[in-house]
Amino acid sequence: MSSFRLIQQTDRIPAEMGRSFGYCFLIRGLTSYSVVIRQEVEHPPWTQADGTLGTEYSHEDTFKVLNGRTNGCLGHTFDEPKDLVSGVWRVRLSIAGNTLAVKELVIVRPDDL
């Protein structure tokens, strides 16, 4: 987690190229040696590379469990112009289909901050 640095804690994120946002987590009570954590993100429509509209994406990562705990940081960087869509983004964190947390963020045009 040391590669991430908190600059500001907020639910309103400016839609600017290169801007990163995300969250860090700690999960306790795990009984395996590793765990697959799924991040699902729902966002306002954007045009994907194939020309279709996309409203969500997901990603899975495997995390090592030590003493029944795991932690990490996940997020998103506005690195393509299509990403710069204003509105509510909903982030869901789950393990094996069980939702652990849901967070809503509002992406805004920089002028609206």
Side-chain angles (χ1 to χ4, degrees), residues 7-69:
I7 295 173
Q8 179 181 8
Q9 186 172 339
T10 182
D11 294 337
R12 293 175 57 83
I13 312 295
E16 298 173 319
M17 289 297 291
R19 169 82 56 180
S20 295
F21 61 95
Y23 58 92
C24 295
F25 60 86
L26 169 65
I27 302 170
R28 298 182 179 123
L30 300 169
T31 57
S32 61
Y33 295 104
S34 66
V35 64
V36 176
I37 298 177
R38 181 177 180 86
Q39 174 185 249
E40 299 172 57
V41 179
E42 298 172 26
H43 54 77
W46 67 33
T47 303
Q48 302 184 106
D50 64 3
T52 62
L53 287 181
T55 58
E56 63 186 4
Y57 68 88
S58 62
H59 183 72
E60 292 183 344
D61 286 301
T62 301
F63 291 84
K64 182 178 177 181
V65 175
L66 183 61
N67 297 323
R69 299 166 39 150

Side-chain angles (χ1 to χ4, degrees), residues 49-98:
D50 64 3
T52 62
L53 287 181
T55 58
E56 63 186 4
Y57 68 88
S58 62
H59 183 72
E60 292 183 344
D61 286 301
T62 301
F63 291 84
K64 182 178 177 181
V65 175
L66 183 61
N67 297 323
R69 299 166 39 150
T70 192
N71 63 329
C73 294
L74 297 171
H76 183 85
T77 299
F78 294 128
D79 55 6
E80 297 181 42
K82 71 166 178 59
D83 295 353
L84 302 175
V85 292
S86 300
V88 174
W89 289 43
R90 183 174 296 109
V91 181
R92 178 175 291 110
L93 192 66
S94 62
I95 295 176
N98 297 309

